[in-house]
Amino acid sequence: MSYLKKNTENRSYAPEGSARGVGAGNAPQKKNKKKNPVAKALSFVGIVILCVIEEIGLFFAKLFKKIKDTSLSLKVTVAAVAFTCICTGLVVGLTMMVYGEDGEVTLSDCVIGAKKHIVTEDQLESYTMDPEESASSRDLPESRYTVTFDFYSKDDVSCVSAERTVGELIELLGISLDKYDLLRAEEDDSITSDTVISVDELSYGTDYSHTEIAYETEYYDVQTIPKGTEKISRRGVYGKSTVEYSVTYVNGKETERTVVREYTSSYPISAVVYRGVGGSVRVGGQTYYFSHYLDCDSTFYYSGGTTASGLPADENVVAVDPRVIPLGTKLYIPGIGVRIAADTGGAIKGNIIDICFDRSNPLTATYGRRGVRVYILE
């Protein structure tokens, strides 16, 4: 049987060992030939006669050695008889063998000493080819096709093949396909012409897509910031929704993706916003409407002189940090009354006010430093 040998120069496969040059894996098939029993017998008898003649020749050779003293005429007679027997046996034996084998056995199988290599029927058939089969093979050569397996990421494999299925050729060539090889043909397809069969490369991966989840905003009405304004107490944070995909690639290009799972990778955080709504406070039958209030530390200083805004320093004014309470702002301080932010001071920083008292005011005896709520009037 012929076999395929890898050609390292062009990475193709070519048939070797085939007498007829057939396609890969197709050696000539011997035709089973039935023989006539009589022909078999004649052939066998012919070989036996040849063996017997050989023995006769050996016998006469020994005889000649023993009759050294015999007359020349006797020696000639014995030699003539031996020669006649051998010639007769050769003619009969060869005739019977040629007749029995129908002229298919070569002379090398009929020489003296044939008993040492009596051939079997299979061996005899291998010495010749049926004339009809030989003629048929010459007249109708078997079709052969060039087939190339075009791998995306490997060396191509080429061969010359007779008509067979793709699967049979893959097995014959010893091509190993795994889950990453995508054969662009059916294994049951027959090869009936020169063809190129693509073998693409499959690969798999994971991909993710993310979507923002909006956060909510929580509003709180407060009186600690100016009325009509808003203050962000906490910024909102977007959440994230994730979709995981299984992705299939052919020759490095995406061809399919499938959703594996969807999940929330992070949850949103709500924003907190304060809204100033103002209010009112009623004291001694008097209602004061305010924009907002501040909790401050308070001290006092004695009246006299002129304030930073030009007003007299008396019990109608307080000193403030202008960055917190603008000068000119009207204030209501529980237990003190309504005052105007008109003065400043080097120690007045942040939520601190300095209240101006006359020296005769009894509060100066015990006031010291205390916390107060200051309403910023509208």
Side-chain angles (χ1 to χ4, degrees):
M1 179 177 292
S2 64
Y3 59 92
L4 292 177
K5 181 180 70 174
K6 184 73 176 288
N7 188 323
T8 57
E9 294 181 355
N10 57 16
R11 298 193 301 275
S12 65
Y13 288 90
E16 180 182 337
S18 172
R20 297 165 57 195
V22 296
N26 286 272
Q29 301 296 317
K30 293 186 294 184
K31 184 176 179 181
N32 293 328
K33 188 171 76 170
K34 290 188 69 175
K35 295 183 178 180
N36 191 314
V38 175
K40 289 182 180 181
L42 289 175
S43 176
F44 179 76
V45 171
I47 293 175
V48 171
I49 291 174
L50 289 177
C51 294
V52 171
I53 291 173
E54 181 182 10
E55 294 298 331
I56 293 173
L58 294 174
F59 170 77
F60 279 110
K62 293 177 181 179
L63 182 61
F64 270 107
K65 292 180 180 180
K66 293 180 179 180
I67 57 175
K68 295 180 180 180
D69 300 329
T70 308
S71 63
L72 179 61
S73 59
L74 179 58
K75 289 183 178 182
V76 172
T77 302
V78 172
V81 173
F83 179 76
T84 302
C85 292
I86 290 173
C87 290
T88 303
L90 281 173
V91 172
V92 174
L94 288 174
T95 302
M96 296 180 70
M97 285 188 64
V98 170
Y99 174 79
E101 294 298 332
D102 196 21
E104 293 183 352
V105 179
T106 62
L107 185 61
S108 63
D109 297 302
C110 304
V111 296
I112 300 298
K115 68 172 185 177
K116 297 180 182 178
H117 57 277
I118 295 177
V119 295
T120 64
E121 291 185 16
D122 290 338
Q123 290 173 323
L124 288 174
E125 285 188 350
S126 69
Y127 294 156
T128 184
M129 181 182 294
D130 186 280
E132 296 181 0
E133 180 184 4
S134 178
S136 175
S137 300
R138 289 193 301 269
D139 297 340
L140 299 173
E142 188 174 11
S143 298
R144 293 175 293 170
Y145 309 107
T146 300
V147 182
T148 299
F149 289 90
D150 182 15
F151 286 87
Y152 175 75
S153 59
K154 305 175 186 176
D155 292 339
D156 295 348
V157 176
S158 298
C159 69
V160 175
S161 173
E163 181 176 346
R164 53 169 50 87
T165 66
V166 173
E168 291 172 343
L169 183 56
I170 289 175
E171 182 177 359
L172 181 64
L173 296 175
I175 295 175
S176 178
L177 301 177
D178 56 30
K179 66 177 182 178
Y180 300 107
D181 293 317
L182 179 60
L183 182 67
R184 292 299 191 179
E186 296 295 332
E187 292 193 6
D188 293 336
D189 291 348
S190 295
I191 297 172
T192 57
S193 62
D194 293 347
T195 184
V196 176
I197 301 174
S198 297
V199 184
D200 294 333
E201 181 184 59
L202 282 172
S203 58
Y204 305 92
T206 301
D207 193 17
Y208 300 89
S209 66
H210 306 284
T211 304
E212 288 186 339
I213 303 175
Y215 59 82
E216 297 180 350
T217 301
E218 301 174 1
Y219 292 94
Y220 295 92
D221 294 336
V222 297
Q223 296 175 324
T224 55
I225 61 174
K227 183 179 179 179
T229 64
E230 292 183 348
K231 179 181 179 181
I232 297 175
S233 174
R234 183 179 69 196
R235 295 188 177 277
V237 177
Y238 286 99
K240 185 183 294 183
S241 175
T242 301
V243 180
E244 180 181 344
Y245 300 93
S246 174
V247 185
T248 301
Y249 302 90
V250 176
N251 297 341
K253 296 182 180 179
E254 179 181 334
T255 58
E256 181 182 2
R257 63 170 48 208
T258 305
V259 175
V260 177
R261 59 172 179 153
E262 297 183 47
Y263 58 95
T264 301
S265 49
S266 62
Y267 291 91
I269 299 176
S270 299
V272 176
V273 177
Y274 294 151
R275 297 184 295 194
V277 294
S280 64
V281 60
R282 187 175 180 81
V283 179
Q286 179 71 35
T287 301
Y288 299 97
Y289 294 95
F290 61 89
S291 169
H292 62 287
Y293 65 81
L294 299 172
D295 289 325
C296 302
D297 284 340
S298 66
T299 57
F300 77 95
Y301 68 103
Y302 291 111
S303 61
T306 303
T307 63
S309 62
L311 295 175
D314 56 22
E315 290 193 347
N316 291 316
V317 300
V318 294
V320 299
D321 182 349
R323 296 172 300 179
V324 178
I325 301 174
L327 294 177
T329 300
K330 188 178 289 188
L331 312 174
Y332 171 72
I333 305 171
I336 303 297
V338 177
R339 296 289 180 106
I340 295 175
D343 207 355
T344 61
I348 310 302
K349 303 295 181 184
N351 285 17
I352 297 177
I353 64 172
D354 202 9
I355 303 171
C356 186
F357 285 138
D358 290 337
R359 290 182 182 276
S360 60
N361 193 319
L363 289 176
T364 59
T366 59
Y367 196 84
R369 186 184 181 96
R370 65 179 66 176
V372 294
R373 177 163 288 184
V374 178
Y375 293 92
I376 310 299
L377 299 180
E378 295 180 348

